[in-house]
Amino acid sequence: VLNLLRTLRKDNTGYDLKQLFIGAEGTLGVITAAALKLFPKPAERATAFVAVSDVRQATALLARLQEHTNGLLNAFELLARAGLDLVLTHIPGAKDPFTAPAPWYVLCEASGIKGVAAAFQAGLESALEDGIASDVVIAASEGQRASLWRLRETMSEAQKLEGPSLKHDISVPVSAAADFIDTAIAAVAARLPSARPVPFGHLGDGNLHFNFQMAPGANPESYLGHWDEVQQLVHDIVHEFGGSFSAEHGVGVMKRAALKRYKSAAEIDLMHVLKHALDPKTILNPGKLVPD
Amino acid sequence: VLNLLRTLRKDNTGYDLKQLFIGAEGTLGVITAAALKLFPKPAERATAFVAVSDVRQATALLARLQEHTNGLLNAFELLARAGLDLVLTHIPGAKDPFTAPAPWYVLCEASGIKGVAAAFQAGLESALEDGIASDVVIAASEGQRASLWRLRETMSEAQKLEGPSLKHDISVPVSAAADFIDTAIAAVAARLPSARPVPFGHLGDGNLHFNFQMAPGANPESYLGHWDEVQQLVHDIVHEFGGSFSAEHGVGVMKRAALKRYKSAAEIDLMHVLKHALDPKTILNPGKLVPD
C-alpha cells in the first residue's frame, strides 16, 4: 500500500510515483483515494454562442479571446451545423440561437475575476469587427446560458437518436485542428461518400469527438462494418498531425491494436518493462491497455 | 531513445512516461529536449510590500488576496524582519519601505487581465481595514517594483555576507505554515539557543528557505558542526506537518539519508523496482537519489 496523498505544491524527493498510476487504467495498481484542491468561486461568468465560417476562424477566435481575457476561457466548444441540425430535430425545446444558418459554431465561456465578462465581450466585438466571427449571442440570464449549453450537451444524445455513427475520440495540437479536420473529412468522404461528418467537442483542448453519422435509411450493420477501416484511416491522419487516437477515453481492450500501431517500439518496450516490474504475475486488470 | 515531445493537452494512450523522468535527477534517463507552452503577456501587473504581525496574518492575507483576484496572484513571498535587517546592512542601496519596523513582511504580486491591479488593491485595503495587514506599500513605478523585489532577491546574498547558516529547503501545506514555523523555531531555540531564525521564501507554495544564521562572532566550524543534528530536528517537524524535506533542490547525494528516513518502505521499494527495471546496470547517475 502506497500512501501518496501529500497535499504539497512543491516536493522534489524522489520519483513522482503518483503520476505512474494516473491513466494506467488499473494495470499497475488500484487507486483508492485522492486529495482535491479547491479554488475560490469565480466572481463573474460570461457565455456566448458564436457563428463562424470555418474551423480556421474558430481557432482565430480562440486566440483572440485568450488574448482579451488573459487566458481565463474555461470552455471553447466547436459544433458543426450538421450537428446543430440533429439537436434541433431530436431534442425537444432546442432552438437555433440565430435566424440564419452558419457552417460552424463555437460555444465559449470565460470566468474568474470581476471584469472578465467585459473583456470577453470586448474580444467578441473585436472578432466581429475583424470578420473572425459572423454572429454572436451572449447569454443575458442563467436561463439563456442553460439553453445554449443544452445545444452542446445534448449533441451525443441527438446523434444517437439519429442513428449509428463511426466515432473517434481524438486530439491534435490546437494550431493543427483546422487542417486536420479538412484532411480527415476529405479522406473519409473519398472512402465512404455517404458518411455525414458531425465533429464536435473541446476545440480549446484540441480534443474532438470526430464522428460520422450514417446516411438516412442506410443499413446500420453494413455501415458499422466500416468501423475498423474508417477508424484506422482517421487515426493515421491524427498521427500524421502529431495527435492522439484516444484523448479522453483511454485504451482498454478496443484500442490496444492502435497503441501498437502508433506508439514507437521504445515506448511499448518501456510500457512492458514497467508492467512487468510492478505486476510480474499479470494480475492487475489483465488484457487491458498494454499490448501483448 | 524515447520521443515524448507531443504538444497535446489531452492524451490518454498508455502510461504517462514523460512524468517518470521529471524530477528523477537523471537516474532513469537523460532528458535532451522539452516542448514549452507560451501564454499571452499579462495586461496588468501590481506589486506590494506588506507588513504583517505574524505568519498567521500572512496566510490570512494570502487567502484574502486569492479571493479578491480570483487566484491571479503570481508571487507571495514571506520575509522575517531579521532577514530584512541583513539585507539593509549588507546590500548597498537597499531601503526599508516603511518608517517603523514590523515582525514579518510579504512581497506579493498579481498579474493578468485588465482589472487585476484594482482587485489586488481592493484586497489589500480590506486586509488593512480588518487588521490582517498593518502597513502596505504599492509599487507606483517599474523602478519602485524593482526596489521591492531587490529586498527579496538579495536575501540569500545578504545571509551569506553575514556569515554561515544552517539551511533547510522545505515545504508544508500552506494552511500548516504558521504552526510549523512556530514549532520549528521553538525546537531549534531549545537545542541551539544562539541560532538566529531568518526564514524566507515562497509562502504561496508553502515552500520556505528555513535558515538559521550563526550569532555574530561565534565560531563557524563549531556552528556548522550542528548541521546534521539541526537538520534532522527540523525535518522531523516538517514530516509531522505532512511536508517535504526538499521542496526545490532535490535529493542528490546530500539528502539520500533523509529520503530513507521519511519515505515509507513501500515507496522506497517501488523506487528500487523502477531504478532496477530502467537501469539494470546502474550506469545512470550512480550513487544519487535512490537509497542503497
Side-chain angles (χ1 to χ4, degrees), chain B residues 40-86:
Chain B
K41 194 179 167 191
E44 279 187 7
R45 185 169 64 182
T47 309
F49 204 83
V50 186
V52 293
S53 57
D54 58 32
V55 181
R56 228 153 256 101
Q57 301 289 57
T59 52
L61 178 66
L62 175 63
R64 180 66 60 98
L65 293 178
Q66 288 288 34
E67 196 188 317
H68 274 260
T69 64
N70 259 106
L72 294 181
L73 282 187
N74 62 281
F76 195 87
E77 300 287 311
L78 181 75
L79 295 86
R81 176 69 211 183
L84 183 61
D85 279 336
L86 296 181

Side-chain angles (χ1 to χ4, degrees), chain A residues 20-21 24-32 275 278-279 284-285, chain B residues 15:
Chain A
L20 197 56
F21 298 96
E25 303 185 13
T27 61
L28 299 179
V30 179
I31 297 169
T32 60
K275 173 69 176 173
L278 272 80
D279 181 21
L284 291 163
N285 212 8
Chain B
Y15 305 152

Side-chain angles (χ1 to χ4, degrees), chain A residues 1-4 6-17 19-25 27-28 40-44 66-72 112-117 119-120 171-174 202 204-207 241-251 259 262-264 266-268 270-275 277-278 289-290, chain B residues 1-4 6-17 19-25 27-28 40-44 66-72 112-117 119-120 171-174 202 204-207 241-251 259 262-264 266-268 270-275 277-278 289-290:
Chain A
V1 176
L2 287 166
N3 183 339
L4 305 171
R6 282 182 284 271
T7 58
L8 302 170
R9 287 175 62 94
K10 280 186 176 176
D11 182 15
N12 269 297
T13 55
Y15 304 152
D16 195 352
L17 302 176
Q19 293 290 347
L20 197 56
F21 298 96
I22 298 173
E25 303 185 13
T27 61
L28 299 179
K41 193 180 167 190
E44 281 186 8
Q66 288 289 33
E67 194 187 319
H68 273 260
T69 65
N70 259 107
L72 294 180
I113 193 169
K114 210 177 139 206
V116 69
F120 180 66
S171 70
V172 289
V174 176
H202 324 292
D205 294 331
N207 172 205
F241 279 92
S244 167
F245 60 87
S246 189
E248 290 187 330
H249 302 150
V251 174
L259 197 141
Y262 302 112
K263 293 278 177 187
S264 68
E267 283 175 270
I268 290 176
L270 183 50
M271 286 184 68
H272 281 139
V273 164
L274 292 171
K275 173 69 176 173
L278 272 80
L289 182 60
V290 191
Chain B
V1 175
L2 286 165
N3 183 340
L4 305 171
R6 281 181 285 270
T7 58
L8 302 170
R9 288 175 61 95
K10 282 184 174 176
D11 182 16
N12 268 297
T13 54
Y15 305 152
D16 196 352
L17 302 176
Q19 293 289 347
L20 196 57
F21 298 95
I22 297 172
E25 303 185 12
T27 62
L28 300 179
K41 194 179 167 191
E44 279 187 7
Q66 288 288 34
E67 196 188 317
H68 274 260
T69 64
N70 259 106
L72 294 181
I113 192 169
K114 210 176 141 205
V116 68
F120 180 67
S171 70
V172 290
V174 175
H202 325 292
D205 294 330
N207 171 207
F241 280 92
S244 166
F245 60 88
S246 190
E248 290 187 330
H249 301 151
V251 173
L259 196 141
Y262 301 112
K263 292 279 176 185
S264 68
E267 282 175 271
I268 290 176
L270 182 50
M271 285 183 70
H272 281 140
V273 164
L274 292 172
K275 174 69 177 171
L278 272 80
L289 182 61
V290 191

Side-chain angles (χ1 to χ4, degrees), chain A:
Chain A
V1 176
L2 287 166
N3 183 339
L4 305 171
L5 281 173
R6 282 182 284 271
T7 58
L8 302 170
R9 287 175 62 94
K10 280 186 176 176
D11 182 15
N12 269 297
T13 55
Y15 304 152
D16 195 352
L17 302 176
K18 185 180 67 186
Q19 293 290 347
L20 197 56
F21 298 96
I22 298 173
E25 303 185 13
T27 61
L28 299 179
V30 179
I31 297 169
T32 60
L36 300 181
K37 178 161 175 53
L38 303 181
F39 291 87
K41 193 180 167 190
E44 281 186 8
R45 185 170 62 184
T47 309
F49 204 84
V50 186
V52 293
S53 57
D54 57 32
V55 181
R56 228 154 255 103
Q57 300 289 55
T59 53
L61 178 65
L62 174 64
R64 180 67 60 100
L65 293 177
Q66 288 289 33
E67 194 187 319
H68 273 260
T69 65
N70 259 107
L72 294 180
L73 282 187
N74 62 281
F76 195 87
E77 299 287 312
L78 182 74
L79 295 86
R81 175 70 210 184
L84 184 61
D85 280 336
L86 296 181
V87 169
L88 297 175
T89 302
H90 294 290
I91 305 299
K95 267 183 61 184
D96 191 335
F98 302 111
T99 47
W104 295 91
Y105 301 95
V106 169
L107 173 62
C108 50
E109 192 167 277
S111 65
I113 193 169
K114 210 177 139 206
V116 69
F120 180 66
Q121 194 164 336
L124 289 168
E125 280 164 14
S126 89
L128 274 172
E129 276 165 26
D130 293 350
I132 292 171
S134 46
D135 211 344
V136 174
V137 167
I138 297 178
S141 67
E142 268 305 303
Q144 278 183 28
R145 176 180 178 270
S147 299
L148 296 179
W149 268 106
R150 201 157 169 260
L151 299 174
R152 166 64 186 82
E153 286 169 346
T154 56
M155 180 63 74
S156 288
E157 193 187 336
Q159 293 194 1
K160 207 176 292 172
L161 291 167
E162 174 75 2
S165 288
L166 304 173
K167 294 179 179 181
H168 311 87
D169 163 39
I170 61 93
S171 70
V172 289
V174 176
S175 57
D179 285 341
F180 162 76
I181 290 175
D182 286 351
T183 308
I185 285 180
V188 174
R191 184 76 59 98
L192 195 63
S194 72
R196 291 180 290 161
V198 280
F200 69 102
H202 324 292
L203 181 61
D205 294 331
N207 172 205
L208 297 169
H209 302 292
F210 197 67
N211 296 351
F212 290 83
Q213 196 89 36
M214 187 183 78
N219 178 282
E221 209 175 322
S222 133
Y223 186 69
L224 291 174
H226 295 284
W227 186 282
D228 289 345
E229 165 200 354
V230 170
Q231 188 157 82
Q232 184 163 313
L233 180 66
V234 169
H235 287 171
D236 281 357
I237 297 168
V238 167
H239 188 65
E240 277 165 37
F241 279 92
S244 167
F245 60 87
S246 189
E248 290 187 330
H249 302 150
V251 174
V253 174
M254 273 177 68
K255 291 184 181 167
R256 285 217 298 173
L259 197 141
K260 211 158 180 174
R261 183 173 176 89
Y262 302 112
K263 293 278 177 187
S264 68
E267 283 175 270
I268 290 176
D269 281 353
L270 183 50
M271 286 184 68
H272 281 139
V273 164
L274 292 171
K275 173 69 176 173
H276 185 72
L278 272 80
D279 181 21
K281 293 180 184 159
T282 319
I283 54 178
L284 291 163
N285 212 8
K288 308 286 165 52
L289 182 60
V290 191
D292 290 328

